Amino acid sequence: MNFAALHADQVWLAAGALLALAALAFAWLGRGGTIATDLMLAALAAGIALRWARIGHGPFLSMYEVLASGMFTLGIAWRLAGWRVPLLRDGAPLVMSLIAVMGAWMLATDPGDTHLPATYEMSVLWFHVLLGKVFLGCALVATALAGVVLSRSTPPGHRRFSRMPGDATLDAYAWRFMLAALVFESLMLIAGAVWAQDAWGRYWAWDPLETWAFITWVALAAAVHARVAWRVTPRTGALMITGVFVIAFLTFFGVPFVTIAPHKGAV
């Protein structure tokens, strides 16, 4: 990235990515990193707002924009979860590892301006996008707790997360967030179908993103069913949660950018 040629919004977003790395370092050093995380969120908010004002639409078209808004919403979800349930805060190293990777990825992508397709200019799109981001935020919090459960099976992980509650407690909290994720993803799919009907004259067409969004929903619903119906151990539950999050992450940040589909504005 050529920093000398950046717009003000791109400078703020780059600062947010660098602050994510700082927050990651503080988190792994056991220094908390909440101040660095809050500074990261402030920089990302400023960058998103400035870009929005400059190009006239929200950050959800290019990979650069999706990563920037994803870092912001996932960071907000984590901070709100930690504020509501303080015991979650010690899982920050795992969350900030993902957000820092997203920041580095954003810096390596094209920050060029984008044009909003006509099919995106409708209010229901906002509900669709917002519900998707809340879904992924809930899934991230659950995955962070699952990561703690899995990592504590190793000596380094046991030492690093020894202060957190037992696996059964973390497992219970993680599945509460996964239940919330299921609700929000279900609503996201419904809002997406309404948008598709208005935008393209059909509710569902099995394009790649729709297909993978449905696969994510099926995986999430199956995992929740398994947790409720059977005596799943915390470790097995953690593996299921992690698997669902991997599918969801690839759906959000991979599928739309490797396929030509209406979701990319190719209509």
Side-chain angles (χ1 to χ4, degrees):
M1 182 180 292
N2 182 6
F3 287 92
L6 296 182
H7 294 285
D9 53 281
Q10 295 166 353
V11 172
W12 279 106
L13 292 175
L18 296 176
L19 285 165
L21 294 174
L24 172 63
F26 281 119
W28 278 107
L29 291 172
R31 305 292 179 84
T34 55
I35 294 177
T37 301
D38 290 342
L39 290 174
M40 174 199 75
L41 293 173
L44 291 172
I48 289 170
L50 288 170
R51 184 178 181 87
W52 198 328
R54 184 172 63 82
I55 66 177
H57 65 77
F60 43 65
L61 292 184
S62 67
M63 177 65 83
Y64 177 82
E65 293 171 352
V66 170
L67 286 168
S69 62
M71 290 175 63
F72 179 72
T73 54
L74 291 178
I76 288 290
W78 175 249
R79 291 292 283 125
L80 288 175
W83 170 75
R84 183 66 180 83
V85 187
L87 67 84
L88 303 180
R89 295 173 186 170
D90 286 343
L94 301 178
V95 172
M96 292 312 304
S97 293
L98 176 65
I99 293 178
V101 168
M102 292 172 66
W105 187 3
M106 183 189 74
L107 292 177
T109 60
D110 180 9
D113 295 349
T114 55
H115 172 71
L116 190 70
T119 53
Y120 282 49
E121 295 178 349
M122 46 192 66
S123 58
V124 70
L125 172 63
W126 288 105
F127 293 101
H128 176 59
V129 171
L130 179 61
L131 290 166
K133 290 186 178 300
V134 176
F135 150 66
L136 197 63
C138 291
L140 173 67
V141 175
T143 303
L145 297 177
V148 172
V149 172
L150 293 174
S151 65
R152 284 204 296 209
S153 63
T154 66
H158 181 75
R159 290 193 298 270
R160 180 62 184 81
F161 299 111
S162 60
R163 296 188 306 173
M164 297 189 74
D167 289 353
T169 300
L170 297 184
D171 178 73
Y173 273 108
W175 284 103
R176 290 181 189 178
F177 282 100
M178 290 301 276
L179 284 170
L182 179 60
V183 171
F184 283 108
E185 192 190 8
S186 299
L187 294 173
M188 179 195 76
L189 292 177
I190 294 170
V194 173
W195 168 42
Q197 174 63 24
D198 288 342
W200 306 308
R202 48 75 171 172
Y203 289 103
W204 195 270
W206 295 104
D207 74 36
L209 185 55
E210 289 172 348
T211 301
W212 278 98
F214 181 68
I215 290 172
T216 302
W217 185 89
V218 170
L220 175 54
V224 169
H225 173 74
R227 174 64 170 77
V228 172
W230 303 316
R231 291 185 177 181
V232 176
T233 66
R235 181 174 174 80
T236 300
L239 289 170
M240 291 193 301
I241 289 171
T242 302
V244 171
F245 184 79
V246 169
I247 296 172
F249 190 85
L250 292 175
T251 298
F252 272 71
F253 300 100
V255 174
F257 302 98
V258 296
T259 63
I260 297 177
H263 286 83
K264 289 187 68 174
V267 186

